[in-house]
Amino acid sequence: MSTLILTLSPDTPGPAAEYSYTLTADGHTAIRHASATAALLPDPGRAGETVAVVPARLLSWHRVTLPQGTGGQAPRLRAVLEGLLEERLLDDTVLLHFALQPGARAGEPAWVAVCDRAWLRAALQTLEAAGRPVSRVVPEFAPGPTASGAAEFFAVGTPEDPQLVATGHGADQAVVMLPLTPASLDWLGASAQAAGDAAAPEPLRAEPAVATLAERLLGRPVELHTASQRALQAARGDWDLAQFDLASSGRTRALRKAGSAAGLLARAPQWRAARWAIGVLLVAQVVGLNVWAWQERRALAAKEAGVRSALTQTFPQVRAIVDAPVQMERELALLRQAAGSLSPADLEPVMAATGAALPDGQLPASLEYAGGELRLRGLDLDAAAIDTLNQRLMARGYLAREQNGLLQVRLEVQR
């Protein structure tokens, strides 16, 4: 499943706004990356999804503790967040959009992302009008533990407006964004030398546009890290800023998450071993079923050959074998007829078995025999008596059933 990851433009959303985008099939490797207007963005496919990335400079992060009684998606949760953040924000809370940290629980500290509500809504509506509805909205950088377990630093922007971003910073593992200057490098600890310093931070990652400036300010080489790589990393996070009035329905979110998980399992490099294991298991199952079916066919063919052999050896006059069991039964009936012996389906054996099985004192008023079935009238048998009668008859290979006062007895099992 393909994923289209696009970075929202900080400018006023509209048909002419351009979006930097990355198209990926596994969430780790970019198939294509470029910039285009909403109408010219590539199609991720029917089963794909579109992920929008909110630039770091358009988000502010705030640490709050939810009061007891406010669940993660309680209807009054937005009002609670407005009350908690009202004194910290410069703009009116009605004009802002709030997104709560995934897995936030009442009574524990949690992060809240805040951005311009009208801007985000207009950006999502523009993309939807262009046929690229957004499945998730993720932050470019998110607070919380980093992959390395230490603070990580990124130099982003342009030579005219370079910025330094720190993730996993401090005890709260916050996101901090400052102008890229020697003072900010020193204040965040990004300028610590790695030589002989066990507590040195991770290498500074820089976009190509500001890599030279970062190296000059830092005094050592930096690691190149493109905006496309950053977008891929952001899309793999568990944040979704589309909450409250911008949230999709629960069913839609579940389907999108299931599709994303299926696409990840199908293409992500870390699941390659699992895909091989599933493939080997399926092949083993198919081979095993075929071997079992072949053995069953051989056993059935051997039984059929044994029955045909018994028929031809016992009755040499039978030349053409069509249905060996039926033909054998016919030949046995002819032998019994020629010898004057009785078949279990004849009148006398059926009457003898029925008479021995009937309860004491039960005598039929009339009887009929036709086609191997004995019909008795005038018996007064309840359901329990018929069950007892059947148990006795089945021991001899017969079966009885009662219908409209008529007891019918016939041979059920050839003995």
Side-chain angles (χ1 to χ4, degrees):
M1 182 186 71
S2 298
T3 302
L4 174 65
I5 309 169
L6 53 91
T7 302
L8 298 179
S9 170
D11 301 328
T12 302
E18 285 205 350
Y19 302 87
S20 298
Y21 70 84
T22 298
L23 190 65
T24 177
D26 58 9
H28 292 262
T29 306
I31 300 175
R32 189 188 347 158
H33 57 87
S35 297
T37 61
L40 299 179
L41 288 170
D43 187 358
R46 188 171 183 179
E49 68 167 347
T50 301
V51 179
V53 179
V54 178
R57 66 178 62 210
L58 299 181
L59 283 173
S60 63
W61 296 95
H62 305 272
R63 193 77 160 161
V64 300
T65 300
L66 296 177
Q68 294 294 337
T70 53
Q73 290 296 329
R76 57 188 290 265
L77 183 54
R78 178 179 168 84
V80 171
L81 294 178
E82 289 181 359
L84 292 172
L85 297 173
E86 186 174 9
E87 300 298 328
R88 308 188 204 176
L89 302 171
L90 299 177
D91 294 326
D92 191 341
T93 56
V94 177
L95 304 176
L96 301 174
H97 174 69
F98 300 96
L100 187 62
Q101 176 181 339
R105 292 184 292 184
E108 297 181 3
W111 285 104
V112 178
V114 182
C115 68
D116 185 271
R117 189 177 187 181
W119 167 83
L120 182 57
R121 180 187 295 275
L124 298 180
Q125 289 175 347
T126 300
L127 291 168
E128 186 167 2
R132 299 294 180 268
V134 173
S135 304
R136 289 188 300 132
V137 181
V138 300
E140 185 178 19
F141 298 98
T146 62
S148 63
E152 297 180 354
F153 302 92
F154 301 84
V156 300
T158 63
E160 297 77 20
D161 184 22
Q163 300 289 323
L164 176 66
V165 179
T167 61
H169 184 265
D172 293 332
Q173 299 174 325
V175 172
V176 180
M177 188 172 190
L178 296 172
L180 181 58
T181 63
S184 61
L185 288 169
D186 291 337
W187 185 75
L188 292 174
S191 59
Q193 296 297 322
D197 188 353
E202 289 291 304
L204 177 67
R205 298 180 176 92
E207 287 187 3
V210 295
T212 302
L213 175 60
E215 287 183 346
R216 186 171 69 250
L217 295 176
L218 194 61
R220 56 187 170 91
V222 298
E223 178 183 327
L224 290 180
H225 192 71
T226 65
S228 178
Q229 291 174 299
R230 196 164 63 248
L232 288 168
Q233 186 174 354
R236 291 196 297 269
D238 55 359
W239 273 85
D240 188 358
L241 303 181
Q243 299 179 21
F244 304 112
D245 57 324
L246 298 182
S248 304
S249 67
R251 182 173 181 270
T252 302
R253 288 197 302 271
L255 290 175
R256 286 170 177 168
K257 287 182 180 179
S260 299
L264 187 66
L265 179 61
R267 295 182 176 88
Q270 66 267 32
W271 291 103
R272 185 176 291 112
R275 291 195 294 271
W276 273 102
I278 293 173
V280 171
L281 180 62
L282 290 176
V283 170
Q285 290 288 338
V286 171
V287 172
L289 287 174
N290 280 302
V291 171
W292 175 78
W294 174 74
Q295 291 176 338
E296 289 295 315
R297 286 195 297 270
R298 285 196 59 186
L300 181 60
K303 291 180 180 179
E304 291 176 347
V307 172
R308 290 195 296 270
S309 176
L311 174 61
T312 55
Q313 291 178 6
T314 307
F315 305 101
Q317 69 276 14
V318 178
R319 300 296 182 184
I321 301 176
V322 179
D323 190 337
V326 173
Q327 290 175 279
M328 185 173 293
E329 177 62 27
R330 186 183 301 121
E331 295 296 328
L332 287 173
L334 292 174
L335 285 177
R336 283 194 296 266
Q337 184 178 4
S341 60
L342 296 175
S343 165
D346 288 337
L347 174 62
E348 290 84 351
V350 177
M351 287 183 61
T354 304
L358 282 173
D360 295 338
Q362 289 287 342
L363 295 175
S366 64
L367 59 86
E368 298 176 9
Y369 177 80
E373 182 176 83
L374 179 65
R375 303 183 183 91
L376 306 176
R377 297 182 183 274
L379 295 173
D380 184 17
L381 300 176
D382 56 15
I386 293 177
D387 288 342
T388 303
L389 174 66
N390 261 321
Q391 292 177 6
R392 296 173 181 175
L393 287 174
M394 289 179 67
R396 296 171 175 261
Y398 297 93
L399 180 66
R401 63 175 181 173
E402 192 271 338
Q403 186 176 8
N404 297 327
L406 180 66
L407 184 68
Q408 302 170 335
V409 182
R410 65 179 303 117
L411 182 68
E412 182 68 15
V413 180
Q414 297 286 345
R415 294 184 61 85

